[in-house]
Amino acid sequence: RVRYEHMESLPRGEPGGFTLQVYTGDRRGASTHANVHATLIGSAGEAGPFTLAGEFLRSTMQCFYVEAGVNIGELKRVRIGHDDTDVG
C-alpha cells in the first residue's frame, strides 16, 4: 500500500517532489530484499522508475522523497514493483 503527498506548491506546469509512504504487508513472506522501484503516474505522463533503497520488512512503513523531474500533471497513482531478487 502506498500513500503520497505532493511536497511543493509550484506554479502550474512545473515538476515537483513527492513523499511516498510505502507500507509492507503483514502476511507471511511479505518482506523483500529485492530492488524496489516506484513509478509516478499523472494526468500528463509518467516519471520514473525511481529506486527505493531500504529494507522492506513485514509490517513496516518507510518514507521516500522523489523528484518527478518532469511535469506529470496531477498525480493519479503510484506503481510499485521489484526485480524479483532475494524475495521473502
Side-chain angles (χ1 to χ4, degrees), residues 4-78:
Y4 57 84
E5 177 180 322
H6 190 245
M7 292 301 296
E8 300 175 19
S9 179
L10 299 173
R12 174 168 262 151
E14 293 294 318
F18 297 85
T19 294
L20 305 179
Q21 294 178 339
V22 180
Y23 295 83
T24 305
D26 63 356
R27 293 184 179 168
R28 184 175 182 199
S31 298
T32 186
H33 296 289
N35 298 308
V36 177
H37 56 270
T39 301
L40 306 177
I41 302 165
S43 59
E46 295 185 6
F50 302 98
T51 299
L52 305 179
E55 276 193 276
F56 293 87
L57 303 176
R58 181 177 168 184
S59 298
T60 61
M61 186 273 294
Q62 294 188 64
C63 291
F64 302 92
Y65 180 77
V66 296
E67 284 282 339
V70 295
N71 179 16
I72 62 169
E74 181 183 347
L75 185 63
K76 297 293 186 181
R77 64 185 176 149
V78 178

Side-chain angles (χ1 to χ4, degrees), residues 31-36 82-88:
S31 298
T32 186
H33 296 289
N35 298 308
V36 177
H82 59 73
D83 63 4
D84 289 326
T85 60
D86 202 14
V87 178

